[in-house]
Each structure stands twice: as C-alpha cells, then as structure tokens.
C-alpha cells in the first residue's frame, strides 16, 4: 500500500489531485443540484416554521463545513509543525477562504431565518457568538498569510493561530450543550436519540433525506475546492521561488 | 415554483445570498487557478532560457 506521505511531494499531489478532481467536482454538483431541488421544490412546509424550514438545506451543511474546514486546517497545520511538509501548510491556506465563505453563509442564512422565527436578526447567544468569533479567526488567518512575506514563517504563525482558533471551532459545535441557554436550538439531526432510531427525537425523513444529500454536496464541494486551491498555492509558491532565484541572478 | 406563503422573501433571499457566495467562491478559485498556472508557465519559460 502506498504511504499517505507520498502526497507530501508537490508534484505527486498535483498529479493525483488532477486525476480525482473531475469526479469529485461532478459528484458535488450532482448532490447539490439534487439535494437543493429536492429540498426547495419537493418538501412540505413545517407545521411551526412554515416554508422557512427550506433554509435548513443551506444553513446546516454550511455551518457543518464552517467547523469541519477549521478542523481540516488544524490537522494540516499540525502536520506542517511536526513534519514540515509544505503541501499540508498550503492545503490549510487553501481551505481558509472556503471555510470563511461557509461561515458567512451559515451566519447570513441564520440571521435571515432568525428574523421571522425569533423576531430578531441577531442575538448574543453562545452558538451565534462563537460562530462570529470563528469567522473573525478565519479573516485573521487569511490576513496573517497575506501579511508575512516568508512562506515558512507565515505557515508557522498561521499554524499557531489555527490551534488557538480551534477552541472556538469546538465551542461553535458544542456551545449549546456547554451553556444550555440562548435562542439557538441544540443538535436535532445528529442527536443521540435520533441516531438510535427514536422517532420522537428524529427529524422526519421528509426533511432529513434531502438534507443528507445537501450535506454530501457541501462536503464534496469543499474537497473539490481544497484540491483546486491547493494546486494553485503549490504553483504560486513555485513561482515565487523561481522569481526570487531569478532576482538573485 | 413552490408555495412559500408569507415567508417567500425570507426563503428566496437565503437561497440567493448562499448561491451567490458559493458561485463567487468557485469563480474566484477557478480564475486564480488559471491565472497562476499561466503566470508560472511564463516564469518557467523565462528562467529556462
């Protein structure tokens, strides 16, 4: 079996990712189109939330990916700090704007959904606040990469920032359980009772099935964009190295 | 078009904002990928001379 560390070689990473990228991209487009059309056109209104329940197909997958993107960046940052593989640092850099956009979608759809349901666009609730802080961490992470000229120093500093920000990524997911207060509801799709098959705890399949298709679409879109953007970061790094060598003569 | 009732504006704006952001992210990623690839090819050709 091939070692995972083979892909730490930039050339090998580009070759392999170019091979899998079309399949991942088309699978992502298929899941998103099917999931969103199914959710938007063919699901009923909720008896309490009316047609706003259709926002779940964007809000939940984007919020899930906002947190998971940070965990992917954390893993890649740890690999960089421990093994000094450039591809992992560049993959973390590539994932940050995707995570930031996912967080922005989660915050925007949450506010739009919250207005008619809670009577307010925003409240300083533990989950909402930790998500806003996570978004600010994404912006800080992107800015730090852009501000530091030396790639290795930038990778070191952003990796430390990523480890610190992970506290808020965890809080974003578990804030409701920790403090048990605020307007945002707790987990309903992945609740323990729901997973065990308790129908009282479970989101009805009418809503859950298209939601799972949308989640798959968002996950695949994230993978496709990370692969594409990591290729770009590898090429940009090589270009900077060549230009620097050229200047030195 | 499904019957969205009094929440039509809410639902449509949530979908509009989200799809716009996803398309912008994908578009910018593709545009930058093409630009960097072309620039690298140019630099490589220049440094090989």
């Amino acid at each position: 079996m091939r070692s995972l560390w083979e892909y730490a070689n930039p050339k090998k990473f580009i070759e392999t990712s170019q091979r899998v990228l079309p399949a991942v991209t088309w699978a992502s487009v298929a899941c998103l189109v099917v999931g969103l059309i199914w959710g938007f056109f063919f699901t009923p209104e909720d008896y309490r939330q009316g047609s706003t329940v259709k926002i779940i197909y964007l809000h939940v997958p984007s919020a899930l990916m906002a947190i998971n993107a940070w965990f992917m960046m954390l893993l890649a940052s740890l690999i960089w700090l421990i093994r000094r593989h450039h591809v992992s640092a560049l993959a973390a850099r590539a994932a940050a704007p995707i995570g930031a956009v996912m967080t922005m979608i989660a915050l925007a759809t949450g506010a739009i959904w919250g207005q008619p349901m809670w009577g307010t666009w925003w409240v300083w609730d533990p989950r909402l606040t930790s998500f806003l802080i996570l978004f600010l961490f994404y912006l800080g992470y992107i800015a730090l990469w852009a501000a530091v000229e030396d790639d290795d120093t930038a990778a070191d500093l952003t990796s430390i920032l990523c480890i610190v920000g992970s506290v808020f990524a965890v809080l974003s997911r578990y804030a409701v359980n920790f403090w048990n207060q605020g307007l945002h509801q707790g987990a309903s799709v992945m609740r323990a009772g729901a997973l065990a098959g308790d129908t009282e705890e479970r989101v009805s399949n009418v809503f859950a099935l298209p939601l799972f298709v949308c989640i798959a679409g968002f996950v695949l879109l994230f993978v496709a964009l990370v692969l594409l953007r990591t290729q770009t970061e590898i090429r940009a790094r090589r270009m900077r190295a060549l230009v620097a060598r050229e200047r030195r003569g | 078009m499904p019957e969205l009732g009094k929440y039509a504006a809410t639902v449509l704006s949530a979908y509009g904002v989200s799809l716009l952001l996803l398309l912008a992210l994908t578009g910018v990623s593709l545009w930058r990928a093409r630009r960097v690839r072309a620039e690298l090819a140019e630099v490589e050709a220049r440094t090989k001379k």
Side-chain angles (χ1 to χ4, degrees):
Chain A
M1 193 182 143
R2 285 183 173 175
S3 161
L4 181 70
W5 303 116
E6 255 184 70
Y7 302 103
N9 177 329
K11 201 171 165 216
K12 179 79 187 163
F13 178 88
I14 286 184
E15 275 172 16
T16 311
S17 60
Q18 268 176 341
R19 269 204 309 275
V20 299
L21 193 53
V24 178
T25 305
W26 286 114
S28 145
V29 171
C31 285
L32 283 174
V33 169
V34 170
L36 290 176
I37 288 178
W38 186 356
F40 187 83
F41 289 98
F42 302 106
T43 55
E45 288 190 2
D46 178 67
Y47 76 102
R48 267 196 303 197
Q49 303 187 59
S51 61
T52 63
V53 73
K54 294 177 192 293
I55 299 173
I56 200 173
Y57 306 109
L58 293 161
H59 182 70
V60 171
S62 59
L64 203 70
M65 288 320 298
I67 300 168
N68 289 342
W70 194 274
F71 286 134
M72 176 257 148
M73 286 160 56
L74 173 66
L75 184 66
S77 299
L78 289 173
I79 292 173
W80 161 254
L81 288 175
I82 297 164
R83 300 194 63 142
R84 313 302 282 182
H85 290 318
H86 288 110
V87 171
S88 63
L90 295 174
R93 182 181 191 175
I98 311 168
V101 169
M102 293 294 175
T103 315
M104 213 187 296
I105 293 173
L107 286 169
T109 52
I112 292 168
W113 201 355
Q115 211 288 325
M117 292 302 108
W118 298 339
T120 180
W121 298 96
W122 180 264
V123 63
W124 294 100
D125 156 293
R127 179 168 275 193
L128 274 68
T129 308
S130 55
F131 244 88
L132 179 65
I133 296 172
L134 180 65
F135 180 61
L136 297 176
F137 262 96
Y138 270 119
L139 296 186
Y141 182 93
I142 294 165
L144 190 55
W145 261 110
V148 181
E149 207 168 306
D150 179 66
D151 277 357
D152 287 5
T153 311
D156 286 339
L157 293 175
T158 51
S159 295
I160 302 297
L161 181 67
C162 190
I163 292 168
V164 176
S166 299
V167 174
F168 289 95
V170 172
L171 283 182
S172 305
R173 178 160 287 169
Y174 299 109
V176 180
N177 307 356
F178 289 156
W179 286 291
N180 198 25
Q181 63 177 37
L183 288 176
H184 200 288
Q185 68 179 76
S188 45
V189 179
M190 296 293 177
R191 206 173 353 197
L195 292 175
D198 183 344
T199 49
E200 288 295 311
E201 294 273 324
R202 205 173 63 196
V203 172
S204 164
N205 278 346
V206 174
F207 302 111
L209 294 177
L211 177 60
F212 290 139
V213 178
C214 286
I215 290 173
F218 269 75
V219 171
L220 290 164
L221 178 68
F222 174 76
V223 173
L225 287 173
V226 166
L227 292 177
L228 175 72
R229 296 179 66 95
T230 306
Q231 286 178 12
T232 306
E233 293 301 338
I234 290 170
R235 291 193 177 106
R237 187 176 186 277
R238 176 165 164 72
M239 191 167 66
R240 286 193 293 274
L242 286 174
V243 169
R245 199 186 301 167
E246 199 180 26
R247 278 188 193 147
R248 281 197 303 267
Chain B
M1 188 74 177
E3 184 53 58
L4 298 173
K6 62 179 176 174
Y7 298 123
T10 303
V11 177
L12 291 176
S13 58
Y15 273 76
V17 168
S18 305
L19 295 178
L20 201 72
L21 285 170
L22 287 177
L23 287 174
L25 173 69
T26 309
V28 168
S29 302
L30 286 169
W31 171 76
R32 185 160 178 261
R34 281 201 192 117
R35 200 195 58 177
V36 169
R37 193 192 287 241
E39 281 175 5
L40 176 62
E42 190 190 305
V43 172
E44 278 178 336
R46 196 172 64 217
T47 51
K48 267 181 193 167
K49 280 179 190 170

